[in-house]
């Protein structure tokens, strides 16, 4: 397995995104992800990544950052036109940065119409970006009340209905633990649809403690993708990176 640092949460002591890339590079990471990298010029990001021979592998869409606003809108019926305007913008930015994975956020919605909108938008997005690995991620209702996709089994059903070869599941151990408790049991049900893993400790989303059994299961199942730390450090980021050795 390969490890990755989510720079939207890790290395907050370093400052902004460019400074966090520096900190991650010095800590030995060669891959990072950013939830919403749209605020910095792509060339500046690429230049800083190149300094450490580092790759930005994953980002969220649509832009911009959801601070104070909607947390995506792929499942929001009234915003379908907006999703289809903004997705190409996100795709262009991802291509400029060399990003190979993009997480499509469902947004806050509920009901049959929202589900149908989500399926239609995911199928459309997959057709627009056949060479991009697109991801959907169940997010727990405590962290994001009202978020449409908050169930792993429903996520698999949606993947089956969309039936796009470039659409798969993002498995976040923090959200799995918040929803069901035992992350290994959740993985046993849905791991065959997962192409990207994020980790964090529940319930406070700090360092991912007690993940050894989960890492063992990933290895046993032959998972060869990235394991990304996406959590809020309880102190200095570098003091809480024991999971990196455990995951490799």
């Amino acid at each position: 397995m390969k490890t990755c640092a989510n720079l939207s949460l890790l290395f907050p002591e370093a400052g902004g995104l460019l400074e966090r890339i520096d900190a991650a590079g010095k800590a030995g990471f060669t891959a990072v992800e950013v939830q919403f990298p749209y605020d910095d010029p792509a060339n500046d990001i690429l230049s800083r990544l190149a300094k450490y021979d580092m790759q930005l592998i994953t980002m969220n869409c649509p832009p911009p950052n959801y601070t104070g606003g909607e947390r995506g809108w792929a499942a929001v019926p009234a915003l379908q036109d907006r999703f289809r305007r903004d997705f190409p913008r996100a795709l262009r930015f991802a291509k400029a940065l060399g990003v190979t994975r993009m997480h499509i956020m469902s947004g806050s919605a509920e009901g049959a119409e929202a589900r149908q909108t989500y399926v239609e938008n995911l199928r459309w997005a997959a057709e627009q970006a056949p060479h991009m690995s697109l991801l959907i991620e169940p997010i727990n209702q405590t962290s994001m009340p009202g978020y449409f996709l908050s169930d792993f089994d429903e996520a698999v059903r949606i993947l089956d209905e969309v039936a796009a070869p470039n659409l798969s599941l993002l498995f976040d151990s923090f959200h799995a633990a918040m929803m069901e408790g035992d992350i290994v049991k959740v993985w046993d049900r849905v791991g065959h649809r997962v192409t990207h893993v994020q980790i964090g400790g529940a319930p406070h989303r700090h360092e991912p403690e007690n993940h050894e059994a989960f890492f063992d299961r990933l290895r046993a199942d032959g998972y060869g993708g990235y394991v990304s730390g996406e959590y809020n450090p309880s102190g200095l980021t570098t003091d809480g990176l024991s999971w990196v050795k455990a995951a490799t």
Side-chain angles (χ1 to χ4, degrees):
M1 295 183 289
K2 301 164 284 189
T3 56
C4 172
N6 187 297
L7 298 187
S8 296
L9 298 185
L10 299 191
F11 301 102
E13 62 273 16
L17 174 57
L18 300 182
E19 292 75 24
R20 294 187 191 204
I21 292 173
D22 284 331
K26 292 173 183 176
F29 286 100
T30 57
V32 294
E33 59 183 16
V34 181
Q35 293 173 355
F36 297 94
Y38 304 100
D39 291 337
D40 290 273
N43 287 339
D44 290 353
I45 297 173
L46 287 172
S47 177
R48 198 63 61 97
L49 292 170
K51 181 179 178 181
Y52 301 97
D53 194 22
M54 183 184 291
Q55 184 181 9
L56 179 60
I57 62 165
T58 312
M59 56 186 272
N60 289 359
C61 76
N65 193 318
Y66 60 68
T67 301
E70 302 96 334
R71 300 179 176 186
W73 39 81
V76 182
L79 296 178
Q80 186 169 50
D81 288 344
R82 182 177 180 184
F83 174 80
R84 297 192 181 196
R85 289 195 307 269
D86 284 342
F87 180 78
R89 293 175 53 212
L91 187 60
R92 288 194 297 271
F93 205 76
K95 288 181 176 179
L97 292 172
V99 172
T100 57
R101 299 167 184 81
M102 197 154 58
H103 166 216
I104 298 177
M105 300 193 75
S106 72
S108 297
E110 62 180 356
E113 185 181 6
R115 190 184 189 282
Q116 185 59 34
T117 299
Y118 193 39
V119 168
E120 291 175 0
N121 280 337
L122 289 173
R123 188 175 290 136
W124 175 86
E127 292 171 352
Q128 303 305 304
H131 303 298
M132 178 71 67
S133 177
L134 301 178
L135 304 165
I136 59 172
E137 175 189 15
I139 294 177
N140 78 85
Q141 289 287 318
T142 301
S143 298
M144 291 190 186
Y147 194 77
F148 175 78
L149 188 62
S150 58
D151 180 277
F152 279 92
D153 295 317
E154 174 68 352
V156 171
R157 289 190 289 269
I158 287 172
L159 289 176
D160 289 340
E161 186 168 344
V162 175
N166 57 329
L167 181 68
S168 58
L169 189 63
L170 190 165
F171 185 97
D172 188 310
S173 70
F174 164 71
H175 292 300
M178 291 293 289
M179 291 178 205
E180 302 191 34
D182 191 328
I183 62 176
V184 174
K185 287 185 177 180
V186 182
W187 175 268
D188 285 345
R189 297 201 315 271
V190 306
H192 63 291
R193 306 303 295 268
V194 174
T195 60
H196 189 62
V197 171
Q198 295 173 334
I199 54 174
H204 302 298
R205 202 170 195 174
H206 290 320
E207 286 77 4
E209 300 176 348
N210 302 318
H211 272 53
E212 290 78 9
F214 179 56
F215 295 149
D216 287 343
R217 181 56 55 86
L218 295 184
R219 280 186 282 266
D221 288 350
Y223 176 74
Y226 282 95
V227 174
S228 177
E230 188 186 46
Y231 57 88
N232 298 301
S234 56
L236 291 176
T237 301
T238 51
D239 290 341
L241 294 178
S242 60
W243 62 268
V244 173
K245 183 177 181 180
T248 54

